[in-house]
């Protein structure tokens, strides 16, 4: 099993390098984010994650075996909630759908503290909005609130 895991990591490192190569022509203009920013970011994260995984495999560092799944129902529920969130982003907007998504996911994952389930979604949503507004200078979906 170790050989296939090493092959898997090397394959995804090469895949990330290939995507970096494909985006070499996509140059940003001045200080704006160009069309190659997000593909390069994903390719870089893919390379970094698989280099880390390769090092863990080679040096035989024990990790959690993610293939052991005790119950599939929470997984299917999370996938359904995420699909609703993706649709809700464009219908009701990023802010409301993110607040609801994070609250429901925290409840699904077993967080029983009402204070944490209310404060964390607000903090994360406002943080992401701030990053997109002031750092990335990209708009988030406003949903039907954009009409009002």
């Amino acid at each position: 099993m170790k050989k296939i895991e090493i092959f898997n990591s090397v394959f995804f490192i090469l895949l990330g390098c290939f995507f970096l190569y494909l985006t070499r022509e996509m140059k940003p203009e001045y200080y704006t984010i160009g069309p190659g920013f997000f593909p390069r970011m994903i390719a870089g994260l893919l390379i970094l994650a698989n280099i880390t995984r390769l090092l863990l495999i080679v040096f035989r560092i024990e990790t959690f075996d993610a293939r052991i799944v005790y119950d599939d129902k929470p997984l299917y529920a999370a996938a359904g909630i995420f699909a609703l969130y993706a649709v809700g982003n464009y219908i009701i907007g990023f802010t409301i759908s993110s607040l609801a998504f994070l609250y429901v996911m925290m409840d699904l994952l077993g967080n029983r503290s009402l204070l944490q389930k209310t404060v964390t979604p607000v903090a994360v949503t406002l943080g992401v909005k701030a990053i997109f507004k002031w750092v990335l200078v990209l708009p988030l979906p406003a949903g039907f609130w954009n009409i009002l």
Side-chain angles (χ1 to χ4, degrees), residues 81-148:
I81 292 167
F82 183 74
L84 287 173
Y85 170 67
V87 171
N89 246 336
Y90 291 99
I91 295 173
I92 61 174
F94 172 79
T95 305
I96 295 172
S97 62
S98 293
L99 290 171
F101 171 73
L102 291 171
Y103 183 86
V104 170
M105 285 302 290
M106 287 180 71
D107 191 49
L108 180 69
L109 292 172
N111 190 335
R112 301 290 181 239
S113 170
L114 185 61
L115 181 65
Q116 279 184 335
K117 285 194 298 189
T118 54
V119 171
T120 303
V122 171
V124 169
T125 301
L126 291 177
V128 170
K129 277 189 76 124
I131 289 170
F132 270 81
K133 184 174 183 176
W134 292 309
V135 177
L136 299 175
V137 193
L138 292 171
L140 289 168
F144 68 84
W145 298 111
N146 199 21
I147 298 169
L148 301 176

Side-chain angles (χ1 to χ4, degrees), residues 26-39 41 131-132 134-138:
M26 299 179 185
K27 304 281 186 207
E29 297 177 13
Y30 303 108
Y31 292 104
T32 60
I33 295 174
F37 175 75
F38 288 108
M41 184 176 66
I131 289 170
F132 270 81
W134 292 309
V135 177
L136 299 175
V137 193
L138 292 171

Side-chain angles (χ1 to χ4, degrees), residues 10-63:
V10 171
F11 173 77
F12 282 109
I13 290 170
L14 292 174
L15 185 67
C17 291
F18 176 68
F19 280 117
L20 278 177
Y21 175 76
L22 288 179
T23 60
R24 74 190 185 288
E25 298 292 325
M26 299 179 185
K27 304 281 186 207
E29 297 177 13
Y30 303 108
Y31 292 104
T32 60
I33 295 174
F37 175 75
F38 288 108
R40 286 183 147 216
M41 184 176 66
I42 298 298
L45 289 173
L46 185 67
I47 292 168
L48 181 66
N50 281 285
I51 286 174
T52 304
R53 182 171 181 239
L54 188 62
L55 291 173
L56 291 174
I57 293 168
V58 168
F59 293 115
R60 295 186 178 109
I61 298 173
E62 295 295 322
T63 58

